[in-house]
Amino acid sequence: MIIDKLYKECIEKSPICVGLDTKIEYLPEYLIKSGMSIEEKIFTFNKMIIDNTIDLIACFKVQIAFYEALGIEGLKAYSKTVKYIREKGKIVIGDIKRGDISSTAEAYADAHFSGDFEVDIITVNPYMGYDSISPYEKYMENDDKALFMLIHTSNKSSKDFQELKVDGEKLYMKVAEKCSKWGEDSIGESGFNKIGGVVGLTFPEEFLEIKKKTPNTFFLIPGYGVQGGKGESIKEIFKDGICGVINSSRGIITAHKGKSEDENFVKYTRESVLSMKEDLIVG
Amino acid sequence: MIIDKLYKECIEKSPICVGLDTKIEYLPEYLIKSGMSIEEKIFTFNKMIIDNTIDLIACFKVQIAFYEALGIEGLKAYSKTVKYIREKGKIVIGDIKRGDISSTAEAYADAHFSGDFEVDIITVNPYMGYDSISPYEKYMENDDKALFMLIHTSNKSSKDFQELKVDGEKLYMKVAEKCSKWGEDSIGESGFNKIGGVVGLTFPEEFLEIKKKTPNTFFLIPGYGVQGGKGESIKEIFKDGICGVINSSRGIITAHKGKSEDENFVKYTRESVLSMKEDLIVG
């Protein structure tokens, strides 16, 4: 079961998820100036980051927005990137945050759990309710796929709707409850189920509240580093054991900026993952 | 201003939005069996529907999920389709329901308001709050683009979260209020602003409540026809004037099924639009 595998990777390597939120300006100059196509430049950059961090981390997350922004060429680079990670036997999360219903959600399932854009796990937006989650079940059962559903996001204006009070509780707690309930039939040997949750590290107290309500939910945790989330908070959240992967994107994939613009840039990428690992252990 | 233009199209033609939710199996057999690539088949089908309905309707909506499901080839067909509609001077809505924050939302704005996938209006998901709406403002101001934000969707499980009670009111009313507030600086001569709302026709009474709270909001209205929404409900909603476009997808683009499998299929497409027009007027 894919979440069991992800959990095992967290134990054996580290609970780090490297976010490939790749923009052209993040590339070292030797790549920007090379004669390659945009597709090749982006893929080469990603491949070098993958090759130089894969032994240290649990998984990769690829934010599709940055590839969509580059049009067809960008999406070809997305396709190559997710294929490469899967060929290496590593788990890849497609950060697509899709949310739609019935035949449309089925189309998104086909799009991201098979074919050119196939990944192992995708992020989904729950605003439209269970109709926007159930169409993925066929793939979750037959092809060992999983979801991360948005619960409480790391941004400031998550308060606009997610923190509105419903029956004395914040909306995100209702979403957390449903996330837990919708996943309850798929609990694996790790104790976690196939419908994980996205909860930002920027609100650590709220995270602990959510965790209490969702003991079988595995988390995708954004907000570490640049956004303000700290290693100490992770120590508290993981005090009874690892229950999620912590994503870092810019902190890792731009670590070389101002230091290296040649093919040795990955030295800084690797160092940044090692120091994140240290931060998560030492706190 | 694009919403003014859309309003004008509603008055001059009809408030119909044709949804190009194109799946291979919807194509007439002569196209399926032709030697064309998937990209060409899909685009040819769309082009024929566009050419044969453009004079009768307000706009087109293209549901990107169905194109993503076909991978890179599908997205090339999406790109060709939205370009073709824009070249014809017609408004095209990209039904993408994206929802993400800061630099990621900026990337989605770049992706869908410029380049290969440029459309006039996109649908967005508000769950992450204002941070997921504000990055589109630059394009709305400089390039005359607009948004349709999900408020109350047409599906059964919209009740899971959208109908939860917040301060005695349903959540979707809070979303409607914010939709109205966030758009208030961009009201055009039609009286409507640049942040429209998606409200399903399947819950007509709730629609009227929302409309009372959002007098300057233009609506994208799904749920007509196959999903159960009726022309009578539209008459009630439009009783003080047109305040939105009514989408129909399957009802129009599969109208030929069981009747025609050759290049004359568009006769049935056109007839279905004409009868929808009739239904909206006569009620």
Side-chain angles (χ1 to χ4, degrees):
Chain A
M1 200 273 263
I2 194 78
I3 296 290
D4 289 338
K5 185 181 166 191
L6 184 57
Y7 175 73
K8 216 174 145 215
E9 287 279 80
C10 289
I11 304 281
E12 288 174 4
K13 313 272 186 342
S14 75
I16 295 174
C17 171
V18 169
L20 296 167
D21 295 10
T22 307
K23 286 179 162 186
I24 288 287
E25 63 251 44
Y26 294 169
L27 272 51
E29 262 175 45
Y30 89 97
L31 271 178
I32 296 178
K33 286 179 179 158
S34 77
M36 290 186 236
S37 67
I38 287 180
E39 176 193 341
E40 286 172 293
K41 283 178 188 176
I42 298 269
F43 176 65
T44 304
F45 178 72
N46 286 352
K47 183 176 176 299
M48 288 180 79
I49 290 176
I50 294 162
D51 290 342
N52 285 279
T53 59
I54 196 163
D55 59 318
L56 302 175
I57 65 162
C59 63
F60 294 94
K61 178 172 86 63
V62 193
Q63 171 50 261
I64 201 168
F66 296 103
Y67 302 82
E68 276 185 41
L70 299 169
I72 296 290
E73 271 221 83
L75 286 163
K76 283 186 187 169
Y78 177 86
S79 175
K80 270 192 177 170
T81 300
V82 298
K83 266 188 198 139
Y84 184 72
I85 297 168
R86 282 171 50 78
E87 275 163 22
K88 291 259 163 183
K90 206 76 181 171
I91 293 172
V92 57
I93 302 166
D95 195 357
I96 62 171
K97 295 190 183 68
R98 302 299 192 252
D100 217 309
I101 52 162
S102 63
S103 63
T104 308
E106 278 165 31
Y108 278 133
D110 291 343
H112 298 281
F113 284 154
S114 72
D116 288 346
F117 307 130
E118 182 175 358
V119 293
D120 300 297
I121 311 176
I122 57 168
T123 55
V124 292
N125 185 312
Y127 186 68
M128 296 175 90
Y130 187 62
D131 295 344
S132 63
I133 303 299
S134 58
Y136 298 100
E137 279 170 2
K138 191 185 76 182
Y139 279 103
M140 289 199 271
E141 280 166 30
N142 302 339
D143 304 282
D144 198 18
K145 303 296 186 187
L147 304 177
F148 280 118
M149 193 172 116
L150 298 185
I151 295 177
H152 191 214
T153 56
S154 59
N155 59 309
K156 215 178 143 195
S157 75
S158 62
K159 71 176 184 319
D160 284 339
F161 303 119
Q162 297 167 30
E163 298 191 8
L164 292 177
K165 281 271 182 82
V166 180
D167 306 327
E169 256 187 346
K170 287 177 179 163
L171 175 63
Y172 64 76
M173 291 302 280
K174 299 285 178 193
V175 177
E177 267 171 42
K178 291 284 190 196
C179 181
S180 184
K181 192 169 175 292
W182 295 339
E184 70 188 4
D185 291 336
S186 65
I187 298 173
E189 55 190 30
S190 62
F192 298 106
N193 68 51
K194 289 187 182 180
I195 306 186
V198 178
V199 180
L201 190 61
T202 41
F203 307 103
E205 283 171 34
E206 288 86 342
F207 202 129
L208 294 172
E209 275 177 62
I210 291 168
K211 202 187 151 222
K212 253 186 254 167
K213 280 239 184 179
T214 59
N216 305 114
T217 302
F218 202 70
F219 297 104
L220 168 62
I221 310 172
Y224 176 85
V226 178
Q227 285 186 62
K230 297 201 186 329
E232 294 160 48
S233 307
I234 285 293
K235 268 181 70 181
E236 184 65 20
I237 293 162
F238 286 3
K239 110 180 152 236
D240 309 315
I242 288 172
C243 61
V245 285
I246 304 123
N247 182 70
S248 179
S249 302
R250 270 171 294 170
I252 292 170
I253 69 171
T254 67
H256 60 283
K257 280 282 143 186
K259 290 170 191 155
S260 169
E261 296 293 341
D262 60 24
E263 53 282 331
N264 295 314
F265 80 93
V266 281
K267 178 174 165 273
Y268 298 96
T269 317
R270 191 167 171 88
E271 274 178 17
S272 70
V273 174
L274 288 167
S275 83
M276 178 171 171
K277 209 170 153 175
E278 191 102 339
D279 182 44
L280 296 179
I281 297 165
V282 182
Chain B
M1 200 273 263
I2 193 79
I3 297 289
D4 289 338
K5 185 182 167 191
L6 184 57
Y7 175 74
K8 216 173 145 215
E9 287 278 80
C10 288
I11 305 281
E12 289 174 4
K13 317 268 183 350
S14 76
I16 295 174
C17 171
V18 170
L20 297 166
D21 296 9
T22 306
K23 286 179 163 188
I24 289 286
E25 64 250 44
Y26 294 169
L27 272 51
E29 263 175 46
Y30 89 98
L31 271 178
I32 294 178
K33 287 182 180 157
S34 77
M36 289 187 237
S37 67
I38 288 179
E39 176 193 341
E40 286 171 294
K41 284 178 188 175
I42 298 268
F43 176 65
T44 303
F45 178 73
N46 287 352
K47 184 176 176 300
M48 287 179 79
I49 290 176
I50 295 163
D51 291 344
N52 284 280
T53 60
I54 196 163
D55 59 316
L56 303 176
I57 65 162
C59 62
F60 293 95
K61 177 171 85 65
V62 193
Q63 171 50 261
I64 200 169
F66 295 104
Y67 302 83
E68 277 185 40
L70 300 170
I72 296 291
E73 270 220 83
L75 286 163
K76 282 186 186 167
Y78 177 87
S79 174
K80 269 191 177 170
T81 301
V82 298
K83 267 188 197 137
Y84 183 73
I85 297 167
R86 283 170 50 77
E87 275 164 22
K88 292 256 163 184
K90 204 76 180 173
I91 293 172
V92 57
I93 301 167
D95 195 355
I96 61 171
K97 297 190 182 66
R98 301 301 191 249
D100 217 309
I101 51 163
S102 63
S103 63
T104 307
E106 278 165 30
Y108 278 133
D110 291 344
H112 299 279
F113 284 155
S114 72
D116 287 346
F117 308 129
E118 181 174 359
V119 292
D120 299 297
I121 311 177
I122 56 170
T123 55
V124 292
N125 185 311
Y127 187 68
M128 297 176 88
Y130 187 61
D131 296 343
S132 63
I133 303 299
S134 57
Y136 299 99
E137 279 171 1
K138 191 185 77 184
Y139 279 103
M140 288 199 271
E141 280 166 29
N142 302 338
D143 304 282
D144 197 17
K145 302 298 185 185
L147 304 177
F148 280 118
M149 193 171 116
L150 298 185
I151 295 177
H152 191 215
T153 56
S154 59
N155 59 310
K156 212 177 147 197
S157 76
S158 63
K159 70 177 183 322
D160 285 338
F161 303 120
Q162 297 167 30
E163 298 190 8
L164 292 176
K165 280 273 182 81
V166 179
D167 307 328
E169 255 188 347
K170 286 178 180 164
L171 174 63
Y172 65 74
M173 291 301 281
K174 298 288 175 189
V175 177
E177 267 172 43
K178 291 286 189 192
C179 180
S180 184
K181 193 168 174 289
W182 295 339
E184 69 188 5
D185 291 337
S186 64
I187 298 173
E189 55 191 30
S190 61
F192 298 106
N193 68 52
K194 289 187 182 179
I195 304 186
V198 178
V199 180
L201 190 61
T202 41
F203 307 103
E205 282 172 35
E206 288 86 342
F207 201 131
L208 294 171
E209 274 178 63
I210 291 168
K211 201 185 153 224
K212 255 187 250 166
K213 280 240 183 175
T214 58
N216 305 114
T217 302
F218 202 70
F219 298 104
L220 169 60
I221 309 172
Y224 175 85
V226 179
Q227 287 186 61
K230 299 205 180 329
E232 296 160 45
S233 307
I234 284 294
K235 268 181 71 182
E236 182 67 20
I237 292 162
F238 286 2
K239 100 176 161 244
D240 309 315
I242 287 172
C243 60
V245 285
I246 305 122
N247 183 71
S248 179
S249 301
R250 270 171 294 170
I252 292 169
I253 68 172
T254 68
H256 59 285
K257 281 282 143 186
K259 291 169 191 157
S260 168
E261 296 293 340
D262 61 23
E263 54 283 330
N264 295 314
F265 80 93
V266 281
K267 178 175 164 271
Y268 298 95
T269 318
R270 194 170 170 87
E271 273 178 17
S272 70
V273 174
L274 287 167
S275 83
M276 177 172 172
K277 210 170 153 175
E278 191 103 335
D279 181 46
L280 296 179
I281 298 166
V282 181

